[in-house]
Amino acid sequence: MKITECAASGSTDLRVFLDLGVTPLADALVRPEDLDAPEDRFPLQVAFCPESALVQITESVPAEKLFVDNYLYFSSFSDHLLKHSREHALGLIESRGLGPDSLVVELASNDGYLLKNFVEEGIPVLGIDPAPDQAAAANEIGVPTLAEFFGVPLAEKLVGEGRRADVIIANNVMAHVPDLNSFVGGMKILLADDGIITVENPYVRDLIRHVEFDTIYHEHFYYYSCTSVHRLMRRHDMWLNHVEYFPDLHGGTLRWHIGHHQNQSETVLGYLAEEHEAGMDTFAYYEEFGHRVEAVKTGLLDLLGGLRAEGKRIAAYGAAAKGATLVNYVGIGTDLVEYVVDRNVHKQGLHMPGTHQPIRDVSALLEDQPDYVLLLAWNFKNEIMAQQAEYLARGGRFIVPVPTPEVV
Ligand code: JHZ
C-alpha cells in the first residue's frame, strides 16, 4: 500500500529522493520447491518529510508478511552483536541500579540474545517479539517472551496487569513499525515515571555518507537522525536526553536515551546543532543521494562482470536482508555470483529472494575455494574476515560493495 503521509507528523509533503525499483521482500528467502512460483514484489522508494525531518519509505507491506511469515533473522549469529548487547545490559544494570524488583522490557527481543544477560543476574524481564520462532527460542532459554506486536493496546494491557518498565530497550525496531505513533505512544504508557528507554538504530547520516543504500528495504520504514528522534519524542511528551555512537555496528548506530523528564546531556545539543549545520533537516541533504547509489551499481557490475570475463568464480557471504536489496537492485544473478554462504542454519538450503542464489553453509568456501567472495554482510567485515583467515591464506579475496566497490 502506498504511503502518502509522514508516519510521525502526518504531513503529506513527502519528498522522494531515491527509487530502488520494485523488489522482493528482503527476508523472503525462497524454498527450493517454490523457485518457479512468482514472488511478491513491492515498490521501494525513499522520501524526506520537512516537518518531522524523518526519512521513510513510501510503501507499507503488512507487518505479518514481514515479521511473521518471512523472518529468519536470529540475532545470536553475530559474536560482535552479542558482545555489544552484553555490555549494554551490564551498563544498564549498574547505572540504573537494577535488581530483583526491577522490570526490563525489550521490544523486538528476538531470540533472547540481550535479555538473557539480565536473567543471569536475577533481574525480571519481558521480551516482546511477533516473530514466532525467535520468541519460542527465547522462551526455551528462559527469557519470558510474548509473541505479539507492540503498540498502545499491548502497553495498556500490561499496565492494566500492574506492569510498568524501569527500562525499555528497543534495538533495531523503531524503524520496523508501520504505526510509529502507536509504538512510541506505547513506550510512553509502559515506562515508569523515572524509567529510561534506550533505542538503537543505524544513523541516517552514515547511511548517506557511506552509501549504505542496501540497508533500505521494506522492513525498514524509517531512517533516523537525532533531529527526527528529538521531534518524535517531543510529539509524545518525552525527551531525548543522551546520545551514544557506535561506528562499527550495522554501518554506524546511534543509541538514544529517552525519558519522561528533561535531563539533556551536551551530546543531544551537540548532535542537533551538527545536524542542522549539515542541513540534515532539509531535503537538499538527501537530494543527490540517488546518483551515488547508481555509481555503486555501475561500479559493482563492472567489477563483477570483469572478473567473470577473466573466468574467475565468485560467491557471496551473508544472506542478509541488506544482501537481498543489493543483489536485486544491482541485478546480480547466478551468472555473476553462484551461491551465498551464511552460518544461520535457518537460512541454509533456501535461496536468495529474486536472484535465487542457493544459500550454503559457510564451510562451502573452503571446500570450493571460489576466487572472490562478495561481502554482502559488510557490517561484519572484521568478524567475518578474521573467521575466514584460512580462505584468505589460500589466496581467496573479498569484495566489499559499499561505499565504493573494492577488492580487499
Ligand atoms: P545482518 C537484520 O538485517 C534484519 P540483515 C533487521 N531488519 C535489522 O534491522 C538488522 O538486522 C539490524 C550472517 N552471518 O545481521 C548472519 C554469518 O553468516 O547484517 C546473517 O544472516 N557469519 C532486523 O539481515 C547475515 O550474515 C557471521 O560471522 O541485513 C548478517 O545479517 C556473521 C557475523 C553473520 O542483518
Side-chain angles (χ1 to χ4, degrees), residues 27 71 73 77-79 172 176 217 219-220 250 317-323 341-344 347 362 377 379-380 383-384 387:
D27 268 313
Y71 203 62
Y73 175 74
F77 285 101
S78 160
D79 299 339
N172 292 302
H176 297 62
Y217 42 88
E219 282 167 35
H220 293 168
H250 294 307
Y317 194 119
K322 66 175 70 61
V341 299
D342 196 295
R343 73 174 179 184
N344 178 341
K347 296 184 177 180
V362 172
N379 47 322
F380 294 119
E383 182 173 342
I384 290 172
Q387 216 182 74

Coordinates of all heavy atoms in Angstrom, one line a residue, residues 27 71 73 77-79 172 176 217 219-220 250 317-323 341-344 347 362 377 379-380 383-384 387, ligand 1:
D27 N 13.7 -10.5 3.4 CA 13.9 -11.7 4.2 C 13.0 -12.8 3.7 O 12.9 -13.9 4.4 CB 13.6 -11.4 5.7 CG 14.9 -11.0 6.4 OD1 15.9 -11.7 6.3 OD2 14.8 -10.0 7.1
Y71 N 10.5 -14.4 8.3 CA 11.5 -13.7 9.1 C 12.4 -14.8 9.7 O 12.0 -15.5 10.6 CB 10.9 -12.9 10.2 CG 11.8 -11.8 10.7 CD1 12.3 -10.8 9.9 CD2 12.2 -11.8 12.0 CE1 13.1 -9.8 10.3 CE2 13.1 -10.8 12.5 CZ 13.5 -9.9 11.6 OH 14.3 -8.9 12.1
Y73 N 15.7 -14.0 10.7 CA 16.8 -13.3 11.3 C 16.9 -13.7 12.8 O 15.9 -13.4 13.5 CB 16.6 -11.8 11.2 CG 17.7 -11.0 11.9 CD1 19.0 -10.9 11.4 CD2 17.4 -10.4 13.1 CE1 20.0 -10.2 12.1 CE2 18.4 -9.7 13.8 CZ 19.6 -9.6 13.3 OH 20.6 -8.9 14.0
F77 N 23.6 -14.9 15.9 CA 24.6 -15.4 15.0 C 25.8 -14.5 14.8 O 26.7 -14.8 14.1 CB 24.0 -15.8 13.6 CG 23.2 -17.1 13.6 CD1 21.9 -17.1 13.7 CD2 23.9 -18.3 13.7 CE1 21.1 -18.3 13.7 CE2 23.2 -19.5 13.8 CZ 21.8 -19.5 13.8
S78 N 25.8 -13.3 15.5 CA 27.0 -12.4 15.4 C 27.6 -12.3 16.8 O 27.0 -11.8 17.7 CB 26.6 -11.1 14.9 OG 27.6 -10.1 15.3
D79 N 28.9 -12.7 16.9 CA 29.6 -12.5 18.1 C 29.7 -11.1 18.5 O 29.7 -10.7 19.7 CB 31.0 -13.2 18.0 CG 30.9 -14.6 17.7 OD1 29.8 -15.2 18.0 OD2 31.9 -15.2 17.2
N172 N 16.9 -1.7 17.0 CA 16.6 -2.0 15.6 C 15.1 -2.5 15.5 O 14.8 -3.5 14.9 CB 17.5 -3.1 15.1 CG 18.9 -2.6 14.9 OD1 19.1 -1.6 14.2 ND2 19.8 -3.1 15.6
H176 N 10.9 -0.4 12.3 CA 10.2 -1.6 11.7 C 8.7 -1.6 12.0 O 8.1 -2.6 11.8 CB 10.8 -2.9 12.4 CG 12.2 -3.1 12.1 ND1 13.2 -2.3 12.5 CD2 12.9 -4.1 11.4 CE1 14.4 -2.8 12.1 NE2 14.2 -3.9 11.5
Y217 N 15.1 -1.4 2.9 CA 14.2 -2.4 2.4 C 12.9 -2.3 3.2 O 12.8 -1.5 4.1 CB 14.8 -3.8 2.5 CG 15.6 -4.2 3.7 CD1 15.0 -4.7 4.8 CD2 17.0 -3.9 3.8 CE1 15.7 -5.0 6.0 CE2 17.7 -4.3 4.9 CZ 17.1 -4.8 6.0 OH 17.8 -5.1 7.2
E219 N 11.3 -3.8 5.4 CA 11.2 -4.0 6.9 C 11.6 -2.7 7.6 O 11.2 -2.4 8.7 CB 12.3 -5.0 7.4 CG 11.9 -6.4 7.2 CD 13.1 -7.4 7.4 OE1 13.9 -7.1 8.3 OE2 13.1 -8.4 6.7
H220 N 12.4 -1.9 6.9 CA 12.9 -0.6 7.5 C 12.0 0.6 7.0 O 12.3 1.1 5.9 CB 14.3 -0.4 7.2 CG 15.2 -1.4 7.8 ND1 16.6 -1.5 7.5 CD2 15.0 -2.3 8.8 CE1 17.1 -2.5 8.3 NE2 16.2 -2.9 9.1
H250 N 26.4 -2.2 12.5 CA 25.4 -2.0 11.4 C 25.7 -0.8 10.6 O 24.8 -0.1 10.2 CB 24.0 -2.0 11.9 CG 23.5 -3.3 12.6 ND1 23.6 -4.5 11.9 CD2 23.0 -3.6 13.8 CE1 23.2 -5.5 12.7 NE2 22.8 -4.9 13.8
Y317 N 29.0 -13.7 0.8 CA 28.9 -14.1 2.2 C 27.8 -13.2 2.8 O 27.9 -12.0 2.8 CB 30.3 -13.8 2.9 CG 30.4 -14.4 4.3 CD1 31.3 -15.4 4.6 CD2 29.4 -14.1 5.2 CE1 31.4 -16.0 5.8 CE2 29.5 -14.7 6.5 CZ 30.5 -15.7 6.8 OH 30.5 -16.3 8.0
G318 N 26.9 -14.0 3.4 CA 25.8 -13.3 4.2 C 24.5 -13.2 3.5 O 24.3 -12.3 2.6
A319 N 23.5 -14.1 3.8 CA 22.2 -14.0 3.2 C 21.4 -13.0 4.0 O 20.3 -13.2 4.5 CB 21.5 -15.4 3.2
A320 N 22.0 -11.8 4.2 CA 21.4 -10.7 5.0 C 20.3 -10.1 4.2 O 20.3 -10.1 3.0 CB 22.5 -9.7 5.3
A321 N 19.4 -9.4 5.0 CA 18.4 -8.6 4.3 C 19.0 -7.6 3.4 O 18.6 -7.3 2.3 CB 17.5 -8.0 5.3
K322 N 20.1 -7.0 3.9 CA 20.7 -5.9 3.1 C 21.3 -6.6 1.8 O 21.4 -5.9 0.8 CB 21.8 -5.2 3.9 CG 23.0 -6.0 4.3 CD 24.1 -5.2 5.0 CE 23.6 -4.7 6.3 NZ 23.3 -5.8 7.3
G323 N 21.7 -7.8 1.9 CA 22.3 -8.5 0.8 C 21.2 -8.7 -0.3 O 21.5 -8.6 -1.5
V341 N 26.9 -17.9 1.2 CA 27.1 -18.7 2.4 C 26.6 -17.9 3.6 O 26.7 -16.7 3.6 CB 28.6 -19.2 2.6 CG1 29.0 -20.0 1.5 CG2 29.5 -18.0 2.8
D342 N 26.1 -18.6 4.6 CA 25.6 -18.0 5.8 C 25.6 -19.0 6.9 O 25.3 -20.1 6.7 CB 24.2 -17.5 5.6 CG 23.8 -16.4 6.6 OD1 23.7 -16.8 7.8 OD2 23.5 -15.3 6.2
R343 N 26.0 -18.5 8.1 CA 26.1 -19.5 9.2 C 24.7 -19.6 10.0 O 24.6 -20.5 10.9 CB 27.2 -19.2 10.2 CG 27.1 -18.1 11.1 CD 28.3 -18.1 12.0 NE 28.3 -17.0 12.9 CZ 29.3 -16.7 13.8 NH1 30.4 -17.4 13.8 NH2 29.2 -15.7 14.6
N344 N 23.7 -18.9 9.6 CA 22.4 -19.0 10.2 C 21.8 -20.3 9.5 O 21.4 -20.3 8.4 CB 21.5 -17.8 9.8 CG 20.1 -17.9 10.4 OD1 19.6 -19.0 10.7 ND2 19.5 -16.8 10.5
K347 N 18.6 -20.3 7.4 CA 18.7 -19.8 6.0 C 19.3 -20.8 5.0 O 19.0 -20.7 3.8 CB 19.5 -18.5 6.0 CG 18.8 -17.4 6.8 CD 19.6 -16.0 6.7 CE 18.8 -14.9 7.5 NZ 19.5 -13.6 7.4
V362 N 28.8 -22.0 5.6 CA 30.0 -21.3 5.4 C 31.2 -22.2 5.0 O 32.1 -21.7 4.3 CB 30.3 -20.5 6.7 CG1 31.6 -19.8 6.7 CG2 29.2 -19.4 7.0
A377 N 27.3 -9.0 3.9 CA 27.2 -8.6 5.3 C 28.5 -7.8 5.7 O 29.2 -8.1 6.6 CB 27.1 -9.8 6.2
N379 N 28.8 -5.1 7.2 CA 28.8 -4.6 8.5 C 29.6 -5.5 9.5 O 29.9 -5.0 10.6 CB 27.4 -4.4 9.0 CG 26.4 -5.6 8.8 OD1 26.6 -6.2 7.7 ND2 25.6 -5.8 9.7
F380 N 29.8 -6.7 9.1 CA 30.6 -7.6 10.0 C 31.9 -8.0 9.4 O 32.5 -9.0 9.5 CB 29.8 -8.9 10.3 CG 28.6 -8.7 11.1 CD1 27.3 -9.0 10.6 CD2 28.6 -8.2 12.3 CE1 26.2 -8.8 11.3 CE2 27.5 -8.0 13.1 CZ 26.2 -8.3 12.6
E383 N 34.8 -9.2 11.7 CA 34.4 -10.5 12.3 C 34.6 -11.6 11.3 O 35.1 -12.7 11.5 CB 33.0 -10.4 12.9 CG 32.6 -11.7 13.6 CD 31.2 -11.6 14.3 OE1 30.8 -10.5 14.5 OE2 30.6 -12.6 14.6
I384 N 34.0 -11.3 10.1 CA 34.0 -12.4 9.1 C 35.4 -12.6 8.4 O 35.8 -13.8 8.2 CB 32.9 -12.0 8.0 CG1 31.5 -12.2 8.6 CG2 33.1 -12.9 6.7 CD1 30.4 -11.6 7.7
Q387 N 37.4 -14.7 10.8 CA 36.9 -16.1 10.7 C 37.3 -16.8 9.5 O 37.5 -18.0 9.5 CB 35.4 -15.9 10.6 CG 34.5 -16.8 11.3 CD 33.1 -16.3 10.9 OE1 32.6 -16.6 9.7 NE2 32.4 -15.7 11.8
Ligands
JHZ1 P1 22.8 -8.8 9.4 C1 18.8 -7.6 10.0 O1 19.3 -7.2 8.8 C2 17.3 -7.6 9.9 P2 20.4 -8.0 8.0 C3 16.7 -6.4 10.6 N1 15.7 -5.9 9.8 C4 17.6 -5.3 11.1 O2 17.1 -4.3 11.4 C5 19.1 -5.5 11.1 O3 19.4 -6.9 11.1 C6 19.7 -4.9 12.3 C7 25.2 -14.0 8.8 N2 26.5 -14.1 9.4 O4 22.9 -9.0 10.8 C8 24.0 -13.8 9.7 C9 27.3 -15.1 9.1 O5 26.9 -16.0 8.3 O6 23.8 -7.8 8.8 C10 23.0 -13.0 8.9 O7 22.3 -13.9 8.1 N3 28.5 -15.2 9.7 C11 16.1 -6.9 11.9 O8 19.8 -9.3 7.7 C12 23.9 -12.2 8.0 O9 25.2 -12.8 8.0 C13 29.0 -14.3 10.6 O10 30.1 -14.4 11.1 O11 20.9 -7.2 6.9 C14 24.1 -10.8 8.6 O12 22.9 -10.1 8.6 C15 28.1 -13.1 10.9 C16 28.6 -12.1 11.8 C17 26.9 -13.1 10.3 O13 21.4 -8.2 9.2

